[in-house]
Amino acid sequence: MMLKSCRTVVCAMSGGVDSAVSAHLLKRRGHRVIGVFMRNWDPQEEETGCRNETDYADAFDICNKLRIPLQQVNFVKEYWNEVFSKFLADLELGLMPNPDVQCNEFIKFNHLFHHAINVLGADALATGHYARVENTQSKEVKLLTATDVSKDQTLFVHRAPQTSLQRCVFPVGALLKSQVKQIAAEIGLKNIASKKESMGICFIGKRNFKTFVKQYLRLETGPCVDLETGRLLGEHNGVQLHVPGERMRLTPTRGNHDACGWFVALKDVPNNRIYVVNSSHHPALFSFFVKLEAPHWVRLRPRLPLRCAMRLFHNSRPVHGSLQLLAHTTGEILVTMDTPARHVVPGQYVALYQGEECLGGAMILESGPSLYDLCNKQDIDLNKLYS
C-alpha cells in the first residue's frame, strides 16, 4: 500500500530492536503510531514461565522513549486454539511443526491485523519483519525478500493473507541489520540494540524443547534400529521428539555399547520406531524429492509445472528445482530439486521464490525416496509412491 496515505499505523511491539526501530521510522515520517504488545501465552501453563513479562517491560520502555502509546492485547485463547493445539496435534503425527509461521498466519496477520484496523481505527499494521511489499497494477501486492538477505523473514510471513499484506508495512525490510542497530543506538536505545535476539519457538524460549513437550504429550520409549543391518542399537525417548538428520545419543541396549555417532534417517511413527545411520553424510539423509501440501500462494496461482527457488528452512541457502502437481483433488505438490537436500523435516515450511518475489509456500508432508533408497531399489515409481 502507499504508506504516504496512512495517517495512523499500529506497530506490533515485541520488545526487540526491529519493532523499536520500525516504530521510530514511522513516527519520523509523520505517522501517528500506536504500539501494541500481544500476549499469546499464559505463563501459568507450566512451572517456568516464558519471557513475556521481560519483553513487555522492554516494549513499555521503548514506547516511553519514543513517546508513543502502548496497548496490550490478549490473544491467549486464540493462540491456544489456532496455533498451539495444532502444534501438539502435528507432533503426535510425527511432524515437527513451525508454530512461528502459524502464529503470523493466524494471530499477527489475522487477529492483530483486524484489531488494528477495526478496533483501533488504524490505516495499516507495521511489524519488525525483514521483508518488503511492492504494489502492482492491481490491488494485490508482491511479497519481496529483505534487503538484508541473511535476515530475510519471508518464510515466516508468506502465509499472511493477501488482504492483510495490502495494508501492512515492514519499515526495516529495506535496511541491513547493522543499520537497524545503529539507528537504535542513535535514538537512545543502545540497550535494546545489544539485546540478544530471540531464537527458537516463542512459547518455549530458553527452555529445553524436549522437556517442554513432555508436559503436554504422552511419550513412549521405543527401539532405534540400524537402517542398513536391522540391528537394535538402543532406545529413543519418544519418536515425536526427533527429526530427520538429528544426531542421537542412544541409550545402549544390553550387549551394545555403541551410543554415539548415529543420525535419524527415518521415523516409523505408528510402530514407535526410529531408523538411524552412522554418518551425517549417509545417502539415507539426502533426497531430491519433497512432497508438499497444497501451497498458499501470496498473489497469483502460477501454472504448474514451475521452475523456482526454494528455502527449506530459515536462513538456508535457496535451492532450485521444479514443482509438479500431484493431484487436483488435494493440490499437493511434488518438488524435484536440482541437488539433493539434507535438512528436509516434515512439518516445516518451504518458501518458494522467483527472483526477489516470494510466491508462497507450503508445509512439508514427507521426503524421499532418499539417495540410499534410489541406490538399493531401482524400480521406484514416484507417481505410484505419491499417489
Side-chain angles (χ1 to χ4, degrees):
M1 70 178 301
M2 296 297 292
L3 189 55
K4 292 180 181 178
S5 64
C6 299
R7 181 176 180 275
T8 301
V9 181
V10 162
C11 188
M13 304 300 296
S14 66
V17 67
D18 301 321
S19 59
V21 171
S22 294
H24 162 73
L25 293 174
L26 290 167
K27 185 179 179 183
R28 192 174 69 179
R29 292 168 189 165
H31 302 288
R32 174 175 172 256
V33 181
I34 303 172
V36 173
F37 182 87
M38 296 189 301
R39 287 196 178 274
N40 296 335
W41 187 253
D42 185 350
Q44 296 180 354
E45 285 300 325
E46 69 282 331
E47 295 178 0
T48 56
C50 63
R51 57 179 183 259
N52 218 244
E53 294 302 326
T54 301
D55 288 343
Y56 175 71
D58 288 340
F60 183 84
D61 291 341
I62 291 166
C63 289
N64 272 349
K65 185 74 174 179
L66 298 179
R67 296 184 179 180
I68 63 173
L70 176 66
Q71 297 188 12
Q72 289 190 65
V73 61
N74 189 310
F75 293 133
V76 170
K77 180 180 178 181
E78 292 84 353
Y79 191 93
W80 183 277
N81 291 335
E82 299 175 44
V83 178
F84 189 65
S85 293
K86 186 179 187 305
F87 169 79
L88 294 179
D90 285 346
L91 278 179
E92 288 273 23
L93 295 174
L95 302 173
M96 184 56 67
N98 190 330
D100 293 338
V101 173
Q102 295 162 354
C103 177
N104 283 325
E105 178 182 7
F106 296 113
I107 308 300
K108 188 167 288 182
F109 294 106
N110 183 13
H111 293 295
L112 177 62
F113 173 81
H114 290 293
H115 180 82
I117 303 300
N118 300 325
V119 178
L120 300 180
D123 300 302
L125 171 69
T127 74
H129 286 105
Y130 284 84
R132 295 176 294 147
V133 289
E134 180 180 276
N135 293 317
T136 65
Q137 293 181 345
S138 67
K139 290 179 60 177
E140 294 182 326
V141 297
K142 294 180 180 180
L143 177 63
L144 305 180
T145 54
T147 297
D148 192 335
V149 178
S150 67
K151 294 296 180 181
D152 178 67
Q153 293 179 308
T154 47
L155 186 147
F156 294 107
V157 178
H158 79 270
R159 297 187 75 84
Q162 172 66 214
T163 51
S164 297
L165 284 177
Q166 290 171 17
R167 300 181 71 172
C168 283
V169 290
F170 305 113
V172 300
L175 300 175
L176 301 178
K177 182 74 175 192
S178 58
Q179 293 175 307
V180 171
K181 289 188 173 184
Q182 181 180 347
I183 292 171
E186 289 173 353
I187 62 175
L189 295 174
K190 190 173 182 179
N191 61 320
I192 299 298
S194 61
K195 182 179 177 180
K196 189 175 181 180
E197 291 187 60
S198 59
M199 304 293 288
I201 298 172
C202 57
F203 50 76
I204 295 178
K206 297 180 181 179
R207 289 163 292 180
N208 179 273
F209 171 80
K210 296 176 181 180
T211 301
F212 176 85
V213 169
K214 288 176 182 178
Q215 297 179 74
Y216 297 93
L217 295 183
R218 183 178 178 181
L219 304 173
E220 297 180 0
T221 59
C224 286
V225 178
D226 185 334
L227 179 69
E228 293 193 28
T229 66
R231 181 167 64 105
L232 179 64
L233 298 173
E235 287 188 333
H236 62 76
N237 56 356
V239 69
Q240 294 88 351
L241 300 178
H242 301 281
V243 297
E246 174 190 352
R247 182 171 183 149
M248 293 192 70
R249 190 174 185 87
L250 303 178
T251 302
T253 57
R254 181 176 299 178
N256 173 51
H257 302 289
D258 188 4
C260 300
W262 294 93
F263 299 82
V264 177
L266 181 66
K267 299 200 305 183
D268 180 357
V269 179
N271 294 308
N272 197 35
R273 182 183 298 256
I274 291 179
Y275 292 92
V276 295
V277 291
N278 62 359
S279 169
S280 62
H281 299 290
H282 193 283
L285 303 179
F286 293 82
S287 177
F288 284 102
F289 309 102
V290 179
K291 180 182 178 182
L292 304 179
E293 68 174 5
H296 168 84
W297 302 110
V298 173
R299 191 166 60 95
L300 302 174
R301 182 187 298 271
R303 186 187 297 268
L304 300 179
L306 174 73
R307 289 280 305 172
C308 68
M310 58 203 80
R311 278 201 176 98
L312 299 176
F313 54 92
H314 180 51
N315 276 344
S316 66
R317 290 185 177 181
V319 296
H320 292 82
S322 60
L323 310 182
Q324 173 187 337
L325 183 65
L326 282 174
H328 288 281
T329 53
T330 63
E332 293 173 350
I333 299 290
L334 175 64
V335 175
T336 304
M337 293 173 284
D338 295 348
T339 55
R342 181 179 186 274
H343 294 284
V344 180
V345 180
Q348 294 290 295
Y349 285 89
V350 173
L352 309 170
Y353 302 87
Q354 282 193 330
E356 291 184 316
E357 182 177 6
C358 178
L359 304 176
M363 188 176 74
I364 299 171
L365 296 178
E366 56 184 293
S367 68
S370 69
L371 297 187
Y372 179 78
D373 293 328
L374 293 175
C375 290
N376 290 277
K377 302 175 184 178
Q378 301 295 329
D379 59 345
I380 290 176
D381 186 329
L382 287 176
N383 291 323
K384 290 182 179 179
L385 181 65
Y386 286 127
S387 62

